[in-house]
Amino acid sequence: MELSASVLKGLQVAGSSAVGDGAFSKLASRVLQATLGLGDASSVQGDPALSKVDSGMLKEAYAALMTFVAEAARTDTDETGVSTVLEDCKFSPDRIETLSTLYMEHKAKVRAVLGRVLTAHPHIVDVDWRLDYYLKNNHLDRVNQPVYLIDLKTEQGDKGNRIVQFACSHEQLEDLVTKLKDACKSLEKFGQK
């Protein structure tokens, strides 16, 4: 799991004495509630248990913890990995235990929420094509050029099916086929790693 310098700095703030132990427990539970869609950042600002923490530090700690939880769930990090990162950020053993326990309790739910949030590109499920030969058009008497008309049938999860249509010349079609073959080879190489 890779975290940016600003997230690591925010985690250090969350683990520091600027955020008391009681406030940290409340902050950690608020972060997990927000990640699951059960609360939002405004609920943190109005919480009496967090009122003694400087608002700038509170926002920084909240953002860092939110990013940390989401990234840990995205990469399916186990309890040991979470503990290692928190130890590197100078968290006390009690705080590591608190956040690790909360994370592990809600990890599956957070992963499910992240799975619903992610966008997916449409998948090509079928291709239809035909070759037309243009003899002339409105501007020229003689064109004599083949044109391929391509219909890509796609599906995107619950959004249903869609047809993408385009026309291309023989050279453009060859270029498209070459790029698709390159993409397939790249995916095969990536899958072998």
Side-chain angles (χ1 to χ4, degrees):
M1 170 175 44
E2 291 187 30
L3 299 170
S4 69
S6 62
V7 171
L8 291 172
K9 183 178 178 260
L11 286 174
Q12 289 173 352
V13 168
S16 72
S17 60
V19 180
D21 288 335
F24 177 80
S25 296
K26 190 69 170 178
L27 180 62
S29 65
R30 290 287 184 166
V31 164
L32 277 151
Q33 287 174 355
T35 306
L36 296 172
L38 304 173
D40 59 4
S42 63
S43 66
V44 173
Q45 293 289 347
D47 193 323
L50 301 170
S51 63
K52 294 180 181 176
V53 180
D54 177 61
S55 65
M57 289 184 163
L58 183 62
K59 288 178 184 178
E60 186 176 10
Y62 180 83
L65 286 170
M66 187 75 129
T67 304
F68 174 70
V69 168
E71 185 65 17
R74 186 186 71 81
T75 58
D76 199 18
T77 305
D78 61 359
E79 191 169 5
T80 307
V82 169
S83 297
T84 302
V85 172
L86 296 178
E87 284 171 4
D88 292 345
C89 292
K90 312 274 190 285
F91 273 59
S92 69
D94 292 339
R95 290 186 185 197
I96 292 172
E97 179 65 29
T98 300
L99 190 56
S100 295
T101 303
L102 277 171
Y103 167 74
M104 292 309 292
E105 286 175 8
H106 297 90
K107 178 180 170 182
K109 292 177 188 174
V110 172
R111 286 182 60 80
V113 167
L114 290 175
R116 287 192 305 267
V117 171
L118 296 177
T119 59
H121 297 291
H123 299 280
I124 298 173
V125 293
D126 195 15
V127 176
D128 288 330
W129 65 276
R130 79 170 195 254
L131 174 62
D132 282 355
Y133 195 79
Y134 288 144
L135 298 174
K136 64 180 183 175
N137 64 18
N138 292 341
H139 304 290
L140 298 172
D141 272 342
R142 297 183 67 171
V143 175
N144 293 335
Q145 182 178 10
V147 174
Y148 291 90
L149 301 172
I150 313 289
D151 292 343
L152 299 176
K153 293 182 177 113
T154 64
E155 69 178 10
Q156 185 173 7
D158 57 352
K159 293 184 180 178
N161 296 336
R162 201 175 122 211
I163 296 177
V164 178
Q165 298 177 326
F166 62 93
C168 60
S169 68
H170 182 74
E171 293 80 20
Q172 290 170 325
L173 185 60
E174 283 181 343
D175 187 46
L176 176 65
V177 169
T178 303
K179 288 180 180 179
L180 287 173
K181 285 180 181 179
D182 289 345
C184 286
K185 287 178 185 176
S186 295
L187 284 173
E188 286 175 7
K189 288 179 184 176
F190 183 73
Q192 292 173 353
K193 290 182 180 180

